[in-house]
Amino acid sequence: MTIQQVLLLLLLWMWLPHPCHTEMLFRRTPDLRPKSFGGRALGNDGKAIHRQKRGWMWNQFFLLEEYTGSDYQYVGKLHSDQDKGDGSLKYILSGDGAGTLFIIDEKTGDIHATRRIDREEKAFYTLRAQAINRRTLRPVEPESEFVIKIHDINDNEPTFPEEIYTASVPEMSVVGTSVVQVTATDADDPSYGNSARIIYSILQGQPYFSVEPETGIIRTALPNMNRENREQYQVVIQAKDMGGQMGGLSGTTTVNITLTDVNDNPPRFPQSTIHLRIPESSPVGTAIGSVKATDADTGKNAEVEYRIIDGDGTDMFDIVTQKDTQEGIITVRKPLDYETRRLYTLKVEAENTHVDPRFYYLGPFKDTIIVKISVEDVDEPPVFSRSSYLFEVHEDTELGTIIGTVMARDPDSASSPIRFSLDRHTDLDRIFNIHSGNGSIYTSKPLDREISQWHNLSVIAAEINNPKDTTRVPVYVRILDVNDNAPQFAVFYDTFVCENARAGQLIQTISAVDKDDPLGGQKFFFSLAAVNPNFTVQDNEDNTARILTRRNGFSRHEISTYLLPVVISDNDYPIQSSTGTLTIRVCACDSRGNMQSCSAEALLLPAGLSTGALVAILLCIIILLVIVVLFAALKRQRKKEPLILSKEDIRDNIVSYNDEGGGEEDTQAFDIGTLRNPAAIEDKKLRRDIIPETLFVPRRTPSAPDNTDVRDFINQRLKEHDTDPSAPPYDSLATYAYEGNDSIAESLSSLESGTTEGDQNYDYLREWGPRFNKLAEMYGGGESDKDTS
């Protein structure tokens, strides 16, 4: 046995728990007088002070935690050398837990613990002890302090702060790569024995992972762990105290480890060749189809970029990578033509965009696929030889002249004939027309550049066999100028000459305009139509001319106005000219040549009101006349008696007449016989109950035949009066919707009746009393006459 082992065993034996029978002995002094101990000192009064020698000593007590006995646990014993055993001394204990946790025997000085003590709650207790005389209560020894230290035992297992840990490590990591560190804690005393010494071990997760015993660091134990084979691992770690020896306490935790992805897998197409089809009429940008390479990786490690690397259609097609689906979308880059080419072959490559250099050894991170694209034939519309046409024609071209021809063809192999037409929305005046067979455009109306210089037409080409497929092309027609307009005065000139003008005096500068637009620019010449003794024209040769006087003095009393014809001509071919007449007034001017008056009558008119004052007076007269007319109209309106009196809340409008009828004896108010015998009416009679304001000349109307029904007669008369503009609206309609609850006859209105006159029986009129006998005889007799007729 080595010296180190012997020393270790000795140290362990010293720290083993033993029964505590420690006594604190007090040495007895010879007498109670203070004795000097170690030195002398002088007090404030000059007397010598002697240091008293202590009469007792104490040591540190040790107590084992977690006592499980039934009796109080013995801690130790206090004893003074002045204690003669006669019970005259009393031991007193104070401090932490005194009287509750720790008690002392007053006579013997034995100290006991009343309950089980946990070192993890408190590791030591500080108390004070004192011995006093029981009778005098005076201390026989000074108060002394001592400590009870709690010895630790292994009663706490290691614990982890988390029950479940989550960690990750990249796949394909080398052996020994750190994953995560777990740390357990032990509440036992780390300075006493091995109770708090923790050793880590792995219970689950081998052989993939390992753990360092001292630090708790989890590391990878196998090389090249592949996430694509297994992604999740569960590792159970144990922490055991007592240095991992037998009998130690332990605790466990679970660590869920995830292998994170790295780019260790190249993209792969599921097949080597794919076939796609597209109609030739598909516009540029149309998606034909898609290709997709699969990658076992995830996230950015699985991102793929597609491109066309070879083939005979690299200029006809494009491929775009769809980021969200990781597909390559093949689109049309240029227009397709079935008649030109029917099959294209492309070689498409898919490559990872994020390649990890550590895994270059696994091979190229790319793959290729062959894409064959077949172009399908469709019935295409005609195709013009140009995208637009520009024709020029002179404005004096005769009707029916061909100004140009458009050409179109059927791009299909069938080559159907083409029919041409003009979109009339672009030629509303129908100035042009087109030959439907050959596309020749000709004029159908005269052209005038001055009205419209450009005509924008739209020509439609359609197959005869399939007129629904059409194509349009713009045709621009420019009308070329021809010198067909004569120049004219640019503006209207208000020219005057002063009475005191001298010969050669400038009175007006004139210019001209021409609707034509010659290539060399406009050039005008001015001259007089005939020699004029009063005025002359001087051409400035800059398209302007000056009007000059030829004599001195003019008189507005003799001639107030002169007419001067001026000939204006251009220099284009053919030469066009026109004669414009200048009206020159003779006016009175001041010495500076400013016009004052040009009217000959102005000299005879006296000074009076101005023109503005006359206009104001005229307006006032008109306003007064309007007021008088309105006043007369309002006064006339007040004299009219209203036809409707709204004095009561009635349901129907009642036309009121201020005359009283004759009752049953009055047969002149209305004669039903007139309706039954239309021939008896010779002249149109006016109503007697309403006085018309204006009398119109009676109009003779042809009488109806004797056998005409009353209804036909009324309809004929109604039609005549409706079409007669001179017939006044004297007809009125009174509606009686309700006659009241007290009326025996109830409602007399016939508007709501659903039957005709011939369907009703009027015998009930006799039951209403003598007032209705006349009606009963009238309608009853009418029915009998009708039956006998």
Side-chain angles (χ1 to χ4, degrees):
M1 182 178 294
T2 61
I3 298 176
Q4 291 83 359
Q5 291 177 345
V6 172
L7 293 176
L8 180 59
L9 290 176
L10 181 61
L11 182 61
L12 288 175
W13 180 82
M14 292 176 61
W15 284 100
L16 286 177
H18 299 284
C20 295
H21 297 287
T22 305
E23 294 185 359
M24 299 191 71
L25 301 179
F26 297 86
R27 293 182 180 178
R28 181 174 179 82
T29 56
D31 51 21
L32 296 178
R33 292 177 300 175
K35 296 181 179 179
S36 62
F37 181 80
R40 174 183 295 183
L42 295 177
N44 295 331
D45 53 358
K47 296 181 179 181
I49 298 176
H50 299 276
R51 186 173 183 180
Q52 185 177 2
K53 184 179 180 181
R54 294 181 58 93
W56 64 346
M57 297 177 59
W58 58 271
N59 292 323
Q60 189 176 28
F61 292 100
F62 294 94
L63 185 64
L64 192 65
E65 69 168 336
E66 303 294 343
Y67 174 72
T68 57
S70 57
D71 298 332
Y72 289 165
Q73 186 178 6
Y74 182 74
V75 179
K77 183 181 182 64
L78 295 179
H79 185 73
S80 175
D81 56 359
Q82 295 187 17
D83 188 1
K84 299 178 180 181
D86 55 359
S88 59
L89 294 183
K90 179 181 180 180
Y91 295 97
I92 299 175
L93 189 65
S94 62
D96 295 340
T100 57
L101 179 58
F102 299 102
I103 58 175
I104 189 171
D105 191 334
E106 296 179 353
K107 296 181 179 181
T108 63
D110 294 332
I111 301 174
H112 291 82
T114 60
R115 60 179 176 83
R116 186 171 58 179
I117 299 176
D118 190 358
R119 189 204 65 84
E120 285 70 35
E121 294 180 1
K122 194 167 184 178
F124 62 91
Y125 296 86
T126 302
L127 296 95
R128 292 179 299 277
Q130 189 176 28
I132 63 174
N133 188 291
R134 189 180 295 272
R135 289 179 301 176
T136 63
L137 299 179
R138 291 182 178 179
V140 296
E141 295 289 350
E143 187 180 54
S144 181
E145 185 178 88
F146 64 96
V147 175
I148 300 177
K149 187 175 181 180
I150 310 301
H151 268 181
D152 183 46
I153 64 173
N154 189 17
D155 58 343
N156 292 279
E157 70 277 0
T159 59
F160 290 93
E162 300 289 340
E163 293 183 2
I164 298 177
Y165 289 84
T166 301
S168 62
V169 63
E171 63 173 334
M172 309 297 291
S173 298
V174 297
V175 176
T177 302
S178 176
V179 180
V180 68
Q181 182 179 13
V182 294
T183 303
T185 58
D186 196 322
D188 294 327
D189 188 2
S191 62
Y192 179 75
N194 293 328
S195 299
R197 183 187 174 194
I198 299 175
I199 297 298
Y200 299 94
S201 61
I202 184 168
L203 301 181
Q204 178 182 331
Q206 294 175 335
Y208 307 103
F209 300 94
S210 62
V211 63
E212 292 184 358
E214 300 292 339
T215 61
I217 297 177
I218 302 175
R219 300 182 182 274
T220 58
L222 286 181
N224 300 330
M225 286 191 293
N226 198 338
R227 185 197 64 85
E228 289 71 31
N229 297 332
R230 184 177 176 181
E231 185 176 4
Q232 298 289 336
Y233 294 87
Q234 190 175 73
V235 178
V236 178
I237 301 298
Q238 175 185 265
K240 191 174 183 181
D241 59 11
M242 297 299 294
Q245 298 178 2
M246 294 292 295
L249 303 179
S250 63
T252 60
T253 187
T254 301
V255 182
N256 294 325
I257 301 175
T258 302
L259 294 184
T260 58
D261 185 57
V262 297
N263 192 6
D264 58 339
N265 294 278
R268 290 289 181 263
F269 285 104
Q271 52 193 7
S272 59
T273 305
I274 187 174
H275 197 95
L276 301 176
R277 299 179 181 273
I278 184 172
E280 62 174 333
S281 60
S282 300
V284 174
T286 302
I288 306 173
S290 62
V291 293
K292 184 175 182 179
T294 59
D295 194 324
D297 298 322
T298 60
K300 69 175 184 179
N301 297 319
E303 292 181 0
V304 178
E305 186 72 24
Y306 298 90
R307 59 178 175 269
I308 300 174
I309 60 175
D310 196 5
D312 53 10
T314 55
D315 60 336
M316 299 296 296
F317 303 95
D318 279 332
I319 188 167
V320 180
T321 302
Q322 198 76 18
K323 295 298 183 181
D324 52 349
T325 61
Q326 289 297 306
E327 293 180 333
I329 308 299
I330 301 176
T331 59
V332 179
R333 184 177 182 181
K334 293 182 180 181
L336 303 175
D337 188 5
Y338 173 82
E339 288 72 26
T340 303
R341 186 160 192 166
R342 304 180 183 181
L343 180 64
Y344 295 90
T345 302
L346 304 176
K347 187 175 183 180
V348 178
E349 180 184 75
E351 183 180 10
N352 281 136
T353 56
H354 300 87
V355 181
D356 194 338
R358 296 178 299 169
F359 305 105
Y360 279 155
Y361 68 93
L362 296 177
F365 286 81
K366 62 180 68 175
D367 196 11
T368 58
I369 187 174
I370 302 299
V371 181
K372 294 184 178 181
I373 302 175
S374 298
V375 180
E376 298 178 345
D377 187 26
V378 295
D379 191 4
E380 299 177 90
V383 178
F384 283 94
S385 60
R386 301 180 188 174
S387 59
S388 63
Y389 292 86
L390 174 61
F391 299 138
E392 294 182 346
V393 58
H394 289 87
E395 59 180 326
D396 61 346
T397 301
E398 297 181 358
L399 298 181
T401 302
I402 297 176
I403 64 173
T405 302
V406 297
M407 292 184 294
R409 64 178 181 85
D410 183 10
D412 298 323
S413 56
S415 186
S416 300
I418 307 299
R419 182 183 298 275
F420 299 93
S421 62
L422 274 177
D423 185 356
R424 288 304 174 185
H425 291 89
T426 60
D427 185 26
L428 297 176
D429 297 331
R430 296 181 176 271
I431 299 176
F432 302 95
N433 210 339
I434 189 171
H435 193 282
S436 61
N438 57 22
S440 299
I441 301 176
Y442 56 91
T443 59
S444 58
K445 287 185 179 180
L447 303 176
D448 192 350
R449 189 200 68 86
E450 287 70 36
I451 297 177
S452 179
Q453 186 177 356
W454 287 91
H455 295 272
N456 300 326
L457 308 178
S458 180
V459 177
I460 304 173
E463 296 180 12
I464 296 179
N465 298 332
N466 187 12
K468 293 183 178 180
D469 289 339
T470 60
T471 305
R472 295 172 178 264
V473 66
V475 177
Y476 308 104
V477 181
R478 180 182 180 182
I479 309 301
L480 300 179
D481 184 42
V482 174
N483 192 24
D484 56 349
N485 292 278
Q488 298 176 350
F489 283 129
V491 295
F492 173 77
Y493 295 101
D494 185 12
T495 307
F496 70 93
V497 60
C498 295
E499 289 182 317
N500 55 359
R502 298 182 177 275
Q505 184 176 343
L506 174 66
I507 63 173
Q508 184 69 57
T509 300
I510 60 176
S511 61
V513 292
D514 195 338
K515 294 181 180 180
D516 296 324
D517 187 14
L519 296 178
Q522 294 180 340
K523 179 66 176 177
F524 303 126
F525 302 96
F526 300 89
S527 62
L528 293 179
V531 177
N532 191 294
N534 300 312
F535 305 97
T536 184
V537 175
Q538 183 178 353
D539 195 340
N540 295 329
E541 297 183 357
D542 59 353
N543 294 337
T544 62
R546 296 186 298 171
I547 307 297
L548 305 175
T549 59
R550 299 188 64 180
R551 64 183 178 89
N552 297 327
F554 294 87
S555 176
R556 53 178 170 167
H557 298 290
E558 297 177 359
I559 300 177
S560 61
T561 304
Y562 293 91
L563 299 179
L564 182 64
V566 178
V567 178
I568 309 172
S569 59
D570 56 22
N571 67 337
D572 203 358
Y573 180 83
I575 296 177
Q576 299 288 340
S577 63
S578 66
T579 300
T581 301
L582 284 177
T583 301
I584 304 175
R585 297 180 297 164
V586 180
C587 300
C589 303
D590 56 12
S591 59
R592 297 181 180 180
N594 297 324
M595 180 181 64
Q596 291 183 343
S597 175
C598 295
S599 176
E601 291 78 5
L603 299 175
L604 303 177
L605 292 177
L609 297 176
S610 64
T611 304
L614 293 175
V615 172
I617 294 174
L618 182 61
L619 288 177
C620 292
I621 295 174
I622 294 175
I623 292 173
L624 289 175
L625 290 176
V626 171
I627 293 175
V628 171
V629 171
L630 291 176
F631 180 75
L634 291 175
K635 186 174 181 181
R636 184 178 180 182
Q637 185 71 19
R638 292 174 183 173
K639 292 182 179 180
K640 292 184 180 181
E641 185 176 353
L643 297 178
I644 300 176
L645 300 176
S646 301
K647 295 181 179 181
E648 298 178 359
D649 185 14
I650 57 179
R651 295 178 180 269
D652 301 302
N653 295 329
I654 302 175
V655 180
S656 177
Y657 305 98
N658 292 332
D659 57 341
E660 184 176 358
E664 298 178 358
E665 302 301 330
D666 186 5
T667 60
Q668 299 299 323
F670 182 76
D671 189 5
I672 193 64
T674 303
L675 296 177
R676 300 191 178 279
N677 187 12
I681 303 176
E682 295 180 359
D683 297 330
K684 184 176 181 181
K685 297 181 180 180
L686 299 176
R687 292 182 60 174
R688 295 178 298 171
D689 53 347
I690 297 177
I691 300 176
E693 296 179 359
T694 305
L695 297 178
F696 297 93
V697 178
R699 180 172 52 86
R700 176 73 65 179
T701 57
S703 60
D706 295 340
N707 58 353
T708 304
D709 190 65
V710 175
R711 181 182 299 172
D712 297 334
F713 171 76
I714 293 175
N715 291 334
Q716 181 180 356
R717 293 302 187 197
L718 178 62
K719 184 175 181 181
E720 292 175 359
H721 283 76
D722 287 342
T723 58
D724 187 6
S726 63
Y730 291 148
D731 296 336
S732 62
L733 178 65
T735 303
Y736 303 91
Y738 184 64
E739 296 295 337
N741 296 328
D742 297 335
S743 175
I744 301 176
E746 297 180 352
S747 177
L748 298 179
S749 176
S750 62
L751 295 179
E752 298 179 359
S753 176
T755 60
T756 60
E757 181 182 352
D759 297 332
Q760 296 184 7
N761 186 7
Y762 299 96
D763 294 337
Y764 62 89
L765 296 175
R766 301 181 183 275
E767 300 176 1
W768 290 358
R771 293 180 178 274
F772 297 91
N773 290 336
K774 187 66 175 179
L775 289 176
E777 292 176 2
M778 183 183 300
Y779 283 90
E783 291 180 358
S784 60
D785 294 341
K786 184 178 180 180
D787 295 339
T788 57
S789 58

